[in-house]
Amino acid sequence: MMEAISERAAKQFDVENVRRDFSVLERKINGHALCYLDNAATSQRPKAVVDAVVESLTWSNANIHRAIHTLGYEATVAYEEAHKKVARFINAKSWREIVFVRNATEALNLVAGSWGAANLRAGDEVVVTIMEHHSNIVPWQLLAARLGFELKFIPVTPDGILDLDAAAKLITRKTKLVGAVHASNVLGAINPVEKLREMARSVGARFLLDGAQSIPHMAVDVRALDCDFFAASGHKMCGPTGIGFLYAKKELLDGMPPFLGGGDMIATVTTNGSTWNELPWKFEAGTSAVAEGIGMGAAVDYLSNIGMNSLFEYERELGGYVLEKLRALPYVTLYGHKRGESLAVFSLNVEGVHPHDGANLLDRLGIAVRSGHHCAQPLMNVLGMDNTLRASFYFYNTREEADRLVHALGELKRVFDR
Ligand code: 7TS
């Protein structure tokens, strides 16, 4: 039954049609058609997003929330509308729960710097997973050094999935926040976040999701997830760089102190003190990334038009195809993808080939992948790897591109065996 539904959804999705929205896919790199498999680092942007940014910069450029002239009004309305689009996209109760920031990193720093600094003290514990990107580790380490609370890590099993038995023991009455990456940027694993949320709730802890990798690929419903915080970057979901968002429940944002102080985030300022603007502006200090915010709104429109379920099914089917091919290569070690559901993100090593050399040779064949530690060194350490090659697919990738990757890995092996 699942098979049939999945096949149908994948058929409705017309990859050749969506590829036409991305001019960059027409590029030749070193004489080969570009095969872009570095989507976990950043996605490409469709024409609709580029047009929205250019349109804003060209025709409606003004500062927002300040001027009463026409351009100021247009920019203000469009920027606010982008918040509403993001709110609808993730099914937030109110658009005032959406705070625009620079990227997921800034969203996570906002949670630590505002909620964390106001609510954590010595004796408390914050529990995150060992799969976190550095951006959901380092802000907590910095704060722990100041406040004296403890940061603990949920381990992974040798299969590369979260160890929920260990999580159940680590999450106790001392735990004030449980934070988890929704989908891993290294292993592709989609984490059992509902189970973690239940553990967090059972001890009265807040629950934070790093959705930087999940939201580009799957339908996200923050009310169904019932998370307190959700962080994302625009540039991984077809939007511009320099823009991302933090979702947080309104009652939490209401009680949190501002993160940055300055223009636009205040209601009144006197020499004795200040009062804060209404949400979300209380957390958006200074002149906003207006065109980028509008671009992220256009990205959300674009993805909604495709349909996140149809996109997810297409990628699941493509990911299954890639997995089968990679597993058939005896000289490739693939990390993760052993149990549970995963995105089409494949971290691997080719016997006898350093990942940087591998990535370099793949680039000569027009194939863009990332090599390195993927900003997840604690995970790499426990899995016993320093560096990997990572091929991360998105909805505009095809089976032909997967075949090119597999063929090129064979080339790598042959070249380095010589
Ligand atoms: N969280 C996860 C899970 C990520 O994968 C990344 C970026 C971030 C947070 C931070 O996003 P930023 O937009 O604030 O930088 N991950 C990667 C990657 O895997 N390769 O390059 C960036």
Side-chain angles (χ1 to χ4, degrees), residues 41 103-105 133 135 181 185 210 212-213 233 235-236 370 390:
N103 46 37
T105 300
H133 184 274
S135 59
V181 66
N185 65 322
D210 172 358
Q213 295 293 342
S233 287
H235 69 92
K236 293 186 200 284
R370 182 175 167 186
R390 182 188 64 187

Side-chain angles (χ1 to χ4, degrees), residues 124-198:
D124 291 342
E125 293 178 357
V126 167
V127 176
V128 297
T129 84
I130 199 77
M131 273 190 210
E132 300 310 303
H133 184 274
H134 296 163
S135 59
N136 199 25
I137 297 175
V138 183
W140 300 111
Q141 288 176 333
L142 290 169
L143 194 63
R146 266 173 49 206
L147 303 183
F149 64 86
E150 252 201 88
L151 180 62
K152 297 199 158 171
F153 292 88
I154 302 168
V156 287
T157 68
D159 280 352
I161 60 167
L162 277 190
D163 186 339
L164 290 175
D165 293 336
K169 293 197 186 95
L170 279 168
I171 297 169
T172 68
R173 285 270 152 209
K174 288 184 180 173
T175 311
K176 294 295 175 288
L177 178 130
V178 175
V181 66
H182 197 179
S184 163
N185 65 322
V186 177
L187 303 171
I190 301 173
N191 283 322
V193 291
E194 288 80 4
K195 295 209 170 98
L196 288 178
R197 181 199 61 219
E198 288 317 305

Side-chain angles (χ1 to χ4, degrees), residues 137-393:
I137 297 175
V138 183
W140 300 111
Q141 288 176 333
L142 290 169
L143 194 63
R146 266 173 49 206
L147 303 183
F149 64 86
E150 252 201 88
L151 180 62
K152 297 199 158 171
F153 292 88
I154 302 168
V156 287
T157 68
D159 280 352
I161 60 167
L162 277 190
D163 186 339
L164 290 175
D165 293 336
K169 293 197 186 95
L170 279 168
I171 297 169
T172 68
R173 285 270 152 209
K174 288 184 180 173
T175 311
K176 294 295 175 288
L177 178 130
V178 175
V181 66
H182 197 179
S184 163
N185 65 322
V186 177
L187 303 171
I190 301 173
N191 283 322
V193 291
E194 288 80 4
K195 295 209 170 98
L196 288 178
R197 181 199 61 219
E198 288 317 305
M199 290 182 200
R201 294 285 176 245
S202 73
V203 297
R206 294 294 173 196
F207 183 57
L208 172 151
L209 282 177
D210 172 358
Q213 295 293 342
S214 61
I215 196 169
H217 305 282
M218 55 201 266
V220 165
D221 179 335
V222 287
R223 274 191 272 181
L225 288 167
D226 190 25
C227 51
D228 294 304
F229 302 105
F230 187 97
S233 287
H235 69 92
K236 293 186 200 284
M237 51 190 288
C238 293
T241 49
I243 193 79
F245 70 88
L246 173 71
Y247 156 82
K249 287 182 180 162
K250 185 169 175 300
E251 36 306 1
L252 274 171
L253 289 174
D254 277 335
M256 283 160 53
F259 177 50
L260 298 174
D264 210 16
M265 49 74 70
I266 50 86
T268 59
V269 180
T270 68
T271 50
N272 292 325
S274 307
T275 59
W276 316 133
N277 200 346
E278 58 191 351
L279 294 174
W281 318 124
K282 171 179 152 187
F283 292 101
E284 294 193 22
T287 296
S288 302
V290 179
E292 290 82 352
I294 291 167
M296 186 161 68
V300 157
D301 280 344
Y302 180 82
L303 292 172
S304 302
N305 253 335
I306 290 178
M308 290 309 289
N309 290 329
S310 140
L311 182 157
F312 181 79
E313 288 303 333
Y314 173 77
E315 287 187 23
R316 181 152 77 170
E317 191 269 338
L318 178 62
Y321 179 80
V322 180
L323 187 58
E324 202 175 304
K325 297 260 167 175
L326 290 176
R327 279 189 178 143
L329 304 179
Y331 44 84
V332 165
T333 305
L334 180 66
Y335 299 96
H337 293 274
K338 293 189 181 72
R339 280 167 54 199
E341 188 137 37
S342 300
L343 301 175
V345 173
F346 302 95
S347 276
L348 54 90
N349 272 306
V350 179
E351 202 176 72
V353 185
H354 191 283
H356 292 324
D357 295 331
N360 200 1
L361 206 141
L362 291 183
D363 183 58
R364 280 193 242 157
L365 301 171
I367 302 172
V369 297
R370 182 175 167 186
S371 55
H373 56 58
H374 315 297
C375 305
Q377 283 179 345
L379 175 66
M380 306 286 283
N381 285 341
V382 298
L383 294 179
M385 49 195 188
D386 299 328
N387 290 289
T388 68
L389 266 188
R390 182 188 64 187
S392 50
F393 289 72

